[in-house]
Amino acid sequence: MALTNDSWEWHLTPTGWVLGTERLDQFIEQREVPTDRVLSGRFQETLEDAFSELQLTWEVFWRHDAIDPQPLLNKFGEKPRHVAENVLTGAM
């Protein structure tokens, strides 16, 4: 079992990335999914134990069948920026 296994859902809408449901250990902050989303993804942050490196992954788990998300991805970015990316890349 991982020491920490947190996740954040994000939804791409015509106005940009919108934060969705967050899971922080056993705490879950449930948020409604925007009705105008065209794509949804999830950051997963995992720390296996106190001596391992933080693992951060991004996965798209939903795509609108009839709308091409590429124009919005070009405008707002391929994914929202996650705070842990600053730590992992040393860009603080």
Side-chain angles (χ1 to χ4, degrees), residues 57-69:
T57 58
W58 169 256
E59 113 180 90
V60 172
F61 65 87
W62 184 88
R63 240 179 244 274
H64 196 288
D65 291 336
I67 300 174
D68 178 13

Side-chain angles (χ1 to χ4, degrees), residues 31-79:
R31 294 187 178 92
E32 287 200 33
V33 175
T35 57
D36 59 348
R37 72 178 170 155
V38 297
L39 181 140
S40 292
R42 180 182 300 111
F43 278 110
Q44 189 79 33
E45 193 178 279
T46 306
L47 187 63
E48 290 299 326
D49 58 49
F51 304 103
S52 63
E53 286 189 29
L54 180 69
Q55 300 296 315
L56 180 65
T57 58
W58 169 256
E59 113 180 90
V60 172
F61 65 87
W62 184 88
R63 240 179 244 274
H64 196 288
D65 291 336
I67 300 174
D68 178 13
Q70 199 56 53
L72 293 175
L73 290 169
N74 292 342
K75 183 175 183 179
F76 297 112
E78 292 293 315
K79 59 183 167 70

Side-chain angles (χ1 to χ4, degrees), residues 3-24:
L3 185 61
T4 184
N5 192 11
D6 302 334
S7 65
W8 296 262
E9 292 181 1
W10 286 89
H11 308 287
L12 183 58
T13 71
T15 58
W17 288 102
V18 175
L19 181 60
T21 297
E22 295 177 89
R23 174 181 289 251
L24 306 171

